[in-house]
Amino acid sequence: MNVVFALLLGVCTVNAQDNLAQRDTTKILEEIKVKAKGKKKIKTDMKLAVSVDEFLASSQSISFIKRGAYAWEPLLNNMSSERSSITIDGMHVFGACTDKMDPITSYVETNNLSTVDIKSGQEGNLHGATVAGSIDLQRKSTAFGLDKKVTGSYQTGFEFNNKQHFNLADMSYSGNRFVADGSISFRKAKNYHSGDNKEVKHSQFNKFNSSIGLAYKTGERSALRIDAIYDKAKDVGFPALPMDLWLSRALITSASYKQIFEDNIIQFWDTKVYYNTIEHYMDDTTRPENLVHMDMPGWSTTYGLLSKIALKRGRLTSEVQLNAYDNLSIAEMRMYPQDRSKRTMFAYSWPWITTRFAGLSTSNSLDLSDKSHLTFGGSLGWNYNYSKYVEFNKIFYPDAPQKKNSILPSLHASYHVNVARFDFSVGSGYGHRAPSISESYGYYIYNSFDRYDYIGNPHLKNEISYEINATAGYKSNKMGIQAKVNYFYIQDYIVGRILSMGSPMNYQSVGVKGYTALDHANILNLAISTNYDILPHLHWKGTITYARATDGQRGNLPFIRPLSYQTSLHYMYKRFGIQTSLNGDAVQRDYSPEYGEDKTPAYQIWNASADYVLPIQKVNATLQIGAENILDTYYSTYADWGNIPRMGRNIFTSLKINF
Amino acid sequence: MEKIILFLTVLCCTLSSCTKEKTDYEAEIDTIVPERIEFKEVTNFKSGNYTIRIEALGGQLYKGYNQIRLKIEAPDQPAPSTVTLLPILTDSQGKISSCPHRYEQLYQAEEGYFEGYVVFTEESRNTSHWDLHIGFTAAEQLHSNSQRIQVRPQDNKNLNMTSFTGNDGEQYFIALIAPQKPKVAENNLTAGIYKYNKPKALSSSSTIDPAQFSYSQVEGYTLQLDPRMPEPSMGNHSSPNNKDLVQGTDKLYHGVVNYTMTGNWTLNFILLNHQGRIVKGTVVPNDFTPGVEGIKSELHIDILF
Ligand SMILES: [Cu+2]
């Protein structure tokens, strides 16, 4: 595969040079590519070379359920991943794992992303229905006709705790009529060690990711672009689960056509068709202690269309987007009897579930004055589910319909105002989301957290979210402070409840739970962040977050982050940079035993790193060395599946070269 | 550009092909559960001018419940009436016995055949064999015939049968009739429950006396059902929403069984008489015990699909 890719890059460069000759006036299309340079780079305060998960973790509104060292499940506003809309350039991709081993964020790599766009609540409805918000992973796409034709970067590094080494390279060519972006990356890690220097077995991973994007200018103001990402994870351990991953492969492709309009209300029109397919094969042969050997393969295939028009008239800018997709998700479960000559036992954990969605959404911004503006938007979607083997669902729900339609409306508005050095905003939102396929049609999906087998409920109603949010900020030359708060009142909030019928199928299981809806749930998120420049080259940052979520009957919801804090110092001196940070969670006071949680104690982690920009001409090379969890604290967080311990002291080194 | 696109298309195709094939779930059940839908001729013989054709599903007779069609044909001859059928098993010692069956066949005027059933309690062996004694009246003349037939072992476990002596001292038979091919679903379960009618007086005659071999369908009983997977690793797994079998208008017993996955299942039964007294069967434990083979009721039938 690697050879193929190298070859492919070669082909692109050669062809690109043919086109290089024409040097016409067309710089118009420079802005054709969505993301201008200088956006927030994919790195964190502590680390220059990070994984996508580590990068997302640096956002205040994202926390993670961790089942190992790989493929963390992002929780936005303390809500699980089915409540947020996670997309790659607006494209929907659905994981093929019933055990959530493969959130969409696991199918990209930092060197093919330009930025990650996180929106909270209904503001994130542009790409589809959501409750918690949206995470859009935006790919790199180089503009046409840049002065510097060939750019690229290379990152390599080693992390001592789990002997992880990684190599990431990407290259872009920008011609007047032709643009090519390519990236390739390898990551390989062994088991990590927890704070007491115990090896956490089954925590290794291997990831290969590559991407290519080719754009061709079809006219003065139009361009055609094709993109593809290929991702392969092999032999990935999930220490918190009773199974590991043998192989997971994703192919994510799209073709888009963009037309720019000049001197018109219409700014541009961008239409994209996409196709992605995922295969996911779990493996328990690595766990000889398991009583039952099982095969659990899963597949997910999605076709989609996305068409967006950007409009501007006077003080109003608008985006109108059409989204449509069709997904087929299949998951199988085969159990082997102890006497292998006997017949195996088979069932579908996703009995061939089709999901279709079509929706129109809009997002607008109206400048009321120089100092204030209003953003508002809405969407109306249609969601359709079809269970091919509905007889599986009828076992627990005898009148389960084979087809289900639902309408998903959404509205949001917020008002933003600047007063001197202060800025304020208040907003509100309302929206529906359809139950996920596991929630509706899942069949004996084992949850190793509370040790129940989960049965989907085809009669679930949409979750309806009412939200309010507000921000307040102050900025001066030397300091800034910002506070954000949001509150969600979610009607028909979907949770699992013990069923009085049926009996477990997975041998580790203690019972059967079915999805059902709470009358309502309340979720409150609060974050305060500050920064202060102590000296011109010495910066301090601090963040505190707090969340509280209840089931409406004074019970707590699970996976809600306790009071947490992070404080960091960053010092720059000539070519050197030094940073140190302290972060931790307070004791998990409001845990939820009903959903399998226990009280997680408080912890505090200290990290530090230093970087040095090498004195080399033309290329920009940075060397970094650092350590996470310097004191080798043994800890596990509120969202570590099955209380698996987090990584102990980890010394990391990296080299990053940009040219 | 075209070359690149072509190359990418080829690449996409190779990358998007699956590493492991998806299970063809329905075909997989077919490989292990033979399904017979069509009635075919088992054998035929002549009785005077009449040709008697014996038909059964798939053209074979199996241990367990068999629906039988008799076609008695003769050109320009009076139509036959009062068709009787009696299966007789002769063992190595020459002792004869029978099995549950319908003695007087029902005439299906539209289709033009006589219909009955036989629940063979064992398959034909080298030392023991089955004969079907078929009698009918035509033109006021009694025809009686005996035809040797081959009863094969039941190759579809979903049509298994069991026989037992109840707590009331009577001899009972339970034979599964449907579904022939279960699914991972809610399945309508049909069984026939039969009883041997002990003869009032022992026959001394050397000819076969049907009164000695009288069986009847049990009326008004209840067959309580508790399906479980006996496989040790399944830990006595069961399913929800099952319904006990009660007698329908067709005299057969109907209930509902849910199979949550393919594989070996045990249908644990308790047979209750009209007064609700246990004729046979024991309550099975319902706790989840991974690693331990499920305990079966003393009255049960194993199935497999
Ligand atoms: Cu998985």
Side-chain angles (χ1 to χ4, degrees):
Chain A
M1 180 57 223
N2 317 339
V3 183
V4 173
F5 190 79
L7 220 78
L8 194 66
L9 270 182
V11 172
C12 300
T13 345
V14 170
N15 263 33
Q17 270 151 12
D18 295 343
N19 293 339
L20 206 137
Q22 317 133 327
R23 215 173 227 293
D24 51 10
T25 54
T26 47
K27 285 231 163 173
I28 305 162
L29 280 175
E30 226 169 280
E31 78 272 50
I32 199 160
K33 274 307 135 205
V34 214
K35 290 300 144 196
K37 278 194 166 183
K39 270 253 174 179
K40 195 183 174 191
K41 287 269 165 55
I42 307 272
K43 61 168 191 165
T44 65
D45 288 341
M46 286 307 301
K47 274 170 121 175
L48 289 174
V50 292
S51 68
V52 175
D53 289 344
E54 285 172 319
F55 175 67
L56 284 172
S58 67
S59 161
Q60 292 161 11
S61 46
I62 291 183
S63 50
F64 283 100
I65 292 180
K66 295 174 185 172
R67 297 171 173 88
Y70 186 79
W72 301 339
E73 180 191 352
L75 306 181
L76 183 56
N77 283 323
N78 284 295
M79 287 182 245
S80 60
S81 53
E82 50 273 286
R83 292 190 171 87
S84 36
S85 140
I86 306 178
T87 50
I88 300 174
D89 276 341
M91 301 186 292
H92 288 264
V93 183
F94 295 88
C97 181
T98 49
D99 296 350
K100 293 189 171 180
M101 284 178 178
D102 66 338
I104 307 319
T105 43
S106 71
Y107 291 117
V108 289
E109 184 50 273
T110 46
N111 69 341
N112 55 37
L113 292 183
S114 67
T115 178
V116 179
D117 190 18
I118 301 165
K119 291 209 164 98
S120 175
Q122 295 305 325
E123 257 182 68
N125 68 17
L126 195 62
H127 304 304
T130 177
V131 163
S134 69
I135 302 173
D136 189 34
L137 304 154
Q138 295 179 343
R139 284 186 291 190
K140 263 183 197 160
S141 65
T142 305
F144 284 100
L146 293 181
D147 292 336
K148 202 173 168 193
K149 292 222 168 304
V150 179
T151 53
S153 75
Y154 171 70
Q155 284 178 65
T156 183
F158 187 76
E159 305 208 350
F160 285 78
N161 184 296
N162 57 350
K163 299 187 178 59
Q164 179 186 172
H165 56 85
F166 55 87
N167 282 288
L168 293 83
D170 63 274
M171 227 171 125
S172 300
Y173 168 81
S174 165
N176 287 323
R177 296 192 69 83
F178 181 77
V179 160
D181 294 296
S183 75
I184 187 162
S185 75
F186 300 89
R187 285 181 191 270
K188 194 175 163 78
K190 296 209 164 74
N191 289 341
Y192 71 81
H193 292 75
S194 62
D196 52 5
N197 205 27
K198 275 219 185 82
E199 183 176 344
V200 177
K201 286 201 177 120
H202 314 291
S203 61
Q204 80 289 353
F205 62 86
N206 275 294
K207 177 183 169 90
F208 167 76
N209 180 286
S210 69
S211 74
I212 184 156
L214 302 172
Y216 185 72
K217 204 146 69 175
T218 48
E220 283 275 288
R221 293 184 186 83
S222 62
L224 186 70
R225 186 176 169 96
I226 54 171
D227 280 287
I229 296 177
Y230 174 71
D231 186 276
K232 178 173 145 185
K234 207 174 172 181
D235 185 24
V236 177
F238 284 85
L241 301 180
M243 284 192 140
D244 296 316
L245 172 70
W246 168 62
L247 174 72
S248 162
R249 295 198 310 160
L251 180 69
I252 299 161
T253 61
S254 63
S256 64
Y257 181 77
K258 184 166 184 171
Q259 174 85 48
I260 292 186
F261 300 89
E262 241 188 343
D263 304 317
N264 217 326
I265 296 173
I266 302 174
Q267 302 279 295
F268 67 83
W269 185 12
D270 192 356
T271 298
K272 174 152 63 188
V273 288
Y274 60 91
Y275 162 76
N276 57 67
T277 181
I278 293 175
E279 54 175 354
H280 180 92
Y281 306 107
M282 288 188 253
D283 180 22
D284 64 359
T285 56
T286 50
R287 311 290 184 96
E289 69 276 14
N290 281 12
L291 182 67
V292 185
H293 168 51
M294 286 175 81
D295 277 340
M296 292 185 71
W299 297 269
S300 162
T301 305
T302 311
Y303 296 89
L305 169 82
L306 191 147
S307 188
K308 177 156 116 181
I309 297 182
L311 308 156
K312 187 173 169 68
R313 186 165 189 199
R315 294 177 303 173
L316 178 70
T317 54
S318 302
E319 279 182 336
V320 180
Q321 185 167 314
L322 172 75
N323 294 295
Y325 61 79
D326 175 287
N327 168 264
L328 175 63
S329 292
I330 303 164
E332 298 179 353
M333 169 163 66
R334 184 182 296 281
M335 296 188 182
Y336 290 82
Q338 287 177 348
D339 174 0
R340 290 292 165 85
S341 63
K342 283 198 193 156
R343 168 125 166 111
T344 59
M345 296 158 273
F346 178 86
Y348 286 112
S349 30
W350 282 337
W352 290 59
I353 309 299
T354 300
T355 305
R356 284 191 193 128
F357 177 85
L360 199 64
S361 41
T362 170
S363 141
N364 311 277
S365 174
L366 177 67
D367 290 334
L368 300 172
S369 71
D370 292 351
K371 297 206 181 302
S372 64
H373 69 278
L374 193 67
T375 61
F376 58 96
S379 78
L380 190 64
W382 163 73
N383 192 80
Y384 166 85
N385 282 116
Y386 175 84
S387 171
K388 183 177 174 192
Y389 296 105
V390 72
E391 59 263 32
F392 281 75
N393 311 109
K394 288 191 172 180
I395 291 175
F396 280 85
Y397 297 93
D399 16 282
Q402 186 162 33
K403 296 173 193 170
K404 194 177 172 188
N405 285 290
S406 56
I407 298 294
L408 309 173
S410 158
L411 284 171
H412 69 87
S414 60
Y415 173 73
H416 304 252
V417 62
N418 279 31
V419 184
R421 287 179 161 172
F422 293 90
D423 59 84
F424 301 96
S425 79
V426 284
S428 174
Y430 158 81
H432 288 224
R433 77 146 179 122
S436 74
I437 61 166
S438 287
E439 288 165 343
S440 294
Y441 301 99
Y443 185 72
Y444 283 104
I445 296 175
Y446 176 62
N447 177 327
S448 56
F449 192 79
D450 58 8
R451 302 187 60 210
Y452 276 85
D453 281 339
Y454 274 70
I455 306 290
N457 177 354
H459 301 306
L460 285 176
K461 286 193 270 186
N462 289 341
E463 257 181 22
I464 304 171
S465 163
Y466 301 87
E467 95 188 58
I468 48 170
N469 54 66
T471 64
Y474 169 81
K475 223 178 254 171
S476 77
N477 297 334
K478 289 190 80 175
M479 72 161 293
I481 179 160
Q482 201 189 29
K484 281 189 204 174
V485 59
N486 61 39
Y487 169 75
F488 295 85
Y489 175 93
I490 303 170
Q491 216 174 301
D492 296 318
Y493 188 87
I494 298 168
V495 293
R497 275 278 163 81
I498 296 171
L499 283 180
S500 55
M501 58 179 172
S503 75
M505 182 180 280
N506 292 286
Y507 82 91
Q508 299 105 317
S509 179
V510 296
V512 182
K513 278 192 180 179
Y515 284 100
T516 163
L518 295 175
D519 177 69
H520 70 272
N522 307 290
I523 301 174
L524 173 79
N525 293 289
L526 188 73
I528 299 171
S529 56
T530 55
N531 61 71
Y532 181 64
D533 300 338
I534 302 166
L535 294 167
H537 290 292
L538 182 64
H539 312 289
W540 173 79
K541 267 194 199 177
T543 304
I544 288 183
T545 66
Y546 175 73
R548 184 84 178 90
T550 58
D551 61 5
Q553 290 150 6
R554 301 185 154 268
N556 297 316
L557 292 181
F559 297 115
I560 305 300
R561 191 173 198 162
L563 184 74
S564 76
Y565 56 90
Q566 171 156 30
T567 172
S568 65
L569 271 177
H570 181 187
Y571 178 68
M572 281 182 295
Y573 178 75
K574 290 185 179 167
R575 294 178 171 276
F576 284 99
I578 296 172
Q579 42 273 320
T580 181
S581 76
L582 199 67
N583 66 284
D585 285 355
V587 63
Q588 188 188 12
R589 201 174 50 111
D590 303 310
Y591 65 101
S592 161
E594 202 184 329
Y595 297 99
E597 281 191 322
D598 50 12
K599 193 175 197 163
T600 307
Y603 68 87
Q604 191 171 62
I605 303 301
W606 179 40
N607 314 303
S609 71
D611 52 70
Y612 176 65
V613 181
L614 295 174
I616 310 171
Q617 294 285 305
K618 283 189 178 176
V619 296
N620 177 349
T622 313
L623 207 61
Q624 188 178 53
I625 181 160
E628 291 165 312
N629 193 0
I630 296 171
L631 302 177
D632 208 19
T633 309
Y634 178 93
Y635 73 109
S636 99
T637 74
Y638 73 101
D640 287 317
W641 203 254
N643 291 335
I644 49 156
R646 301 289 341 134
M647 205 182 260
R649 185 185 301 123
N650 178 30
I651 295 169
F652 60 89
T653 57
S654 70
L655 169 69
K656 188 170 184 175
I657 300 168
N658 288 305
F659 57 89
Chain B
M1 191 74 186
E2 286 82 8
K3 273 184 205 157
I4 297 172
I5 289 174
L6 183 73
F7 184 75
L8 283 176
T9 317
V10 173
L11 194 71
C12 279
C13 292
T14 37
L15 293 180
S16 61
S17 61
C18 287
T19 310
K20 284 190 186 174
E21 282 312 306
K22 296 177 188 88
T23 300
D24 190 340
Y25 155 69
E26 276 145 337
E28 197 177 270
I29 295 176
D30 290 344
T31 59
I32 146 146
V33 181
E35 194 180 20
R36 303 179 185 94
I37 303 161
E38 243 183 294
F39 278 86
K40 288 184 184 153
E41 189 174 292
V42 178
T43 182
N44 68 68
F45 58 92
K46 288 239 168 201
S47 172
N49 293 326
Y50 293 87
T51 306
I52 299 164
R53 299 181 193 282
I54 305 171
E55 288 186 357
L57 283 173
Q60 304 281 2
L61 298 169
Y62 297 90
K63 182 183 169 183
Y65 181 88
N66 294 264
Q67 211 177 345
I68 307 271
R69 289 176 182 177
L70 293 175
K71 288 185 177 162
I72 302 172
E73 297 158 348
D76 314 321
Q77 295 288 327
S81 62
T82 345
V83 179
T84 61
L85 181 141
L86 176 64
I88 292 293
L89 174 71
T90 312
D91 69 8
S92 52
Q93 275 98 50
K95 245 180 81 186
I96 60 168
S97 58
S98 183
C99 62
H101 62 278
R102 179 183 288 146
Y103 182 65
E104 268 187 48
Q105 308 299 291
L106 300 174
Y107 185 58
Q108 303 293 336
E110 254 168 63
E111 288 90 358
Y113 57 74
F114 295 87
E115 195 181 58
Y117 64 85
V118 180
V119 181
F120 291 110
T121 44
E122 49 189 85
E123 58 254 26
S124 301
R125 298 211 172 82
N126 293 336
T127 50
S128 57
H129 54 261
W130 285 97
D131 295 290
L132 288 184
H133 292 257
I134 296 169
F136 63 92
T137 316
E140 290 179 18
Q141 196 195 338
L142 189 74
H143 293 248
S144 35
N145 305 277
S146 164
Q147 177 68 19
R148 174 71 43 91
I149 44 124
Q150 186 71 24
V151 176
R152 292 166 193 275
Q154 184 55 259
D155 55 356
N156 182 351
K157 283 193 145 197
N158 308 294
L159 299 176
N160 270 350
M161 59 124 354
T162 182
S163 60
F164 56 94
T165 306
N167 297 337
D168 54 3
E170 304 281 348
Q171 206 186 355
Y172 289 94
F173 304 83
I174 299 178
L176 298 181
I177 298 170
Q180 272 195 62
K181 191 162 80 177
K183 292 174 93 178
V184 177
E186 195 178 67
N187 294 276
N188 290 319
L189 185 67
T190 307
I193 307 178
Y194 309 93
K195 185 179 156 184
Y196 176 55
N197 302 319
K198 285 180 190 156
K200 302 244 158 48
L202 276 175
S203 163
S204 52
S205 85
S206 59
T207 56
I208 290 167
D209 173 13
Q212 298 290 316
F213 305 111
S214 164
Y215 293 81
S216 59
Q217 283 174 311
V218 169
E219 304 273 349
Y221 280 32
T222 302
L223 190 58
Q224 290 183 333
L225 170 67
D226 188 354
R228 293 186 179 268
M229 294 188 91
E231 163 64 31
S233 62
M234 293 312 296
N236 200 32
H237 174 70
S238 183
S239 62
N241 293 329
N242 302 299
K243 288 197 186 99
D244 295 340
L245 288 84
V246 291
Q247 199 169 25
T249 48
D250 58 359
K251 304 263 176 140
L252 297 176
Y253 283 76
H254 300 275
V256 170
V257 61
N258 282 280
Y259 296 125
T260 56
M261 65 195 314
T262 66
N264 279 291
W265 284 81
T266 299
L267 303 177
N268 293 297
F269 294 128
I270 297 173
L271 182 64
L272 303 176
N273 66 11
H274 347 62
Q275 288 112 34
R277 292 221 184 91
I278 295 175
V279 177
K280 187 81 175 178
T282 45
V283 177
V284 292
N286 63 0
D287 19 321
F288 186 58
T289 49
V292 183
E293 188 165 335
I295 296 163
K296 300 178 183 182
S297 162
E298 60 173 25
L299 176 60
H300 69 264
I301 296 181
D302 289 325
I303 69 107
L304 173 71
F305 78 107

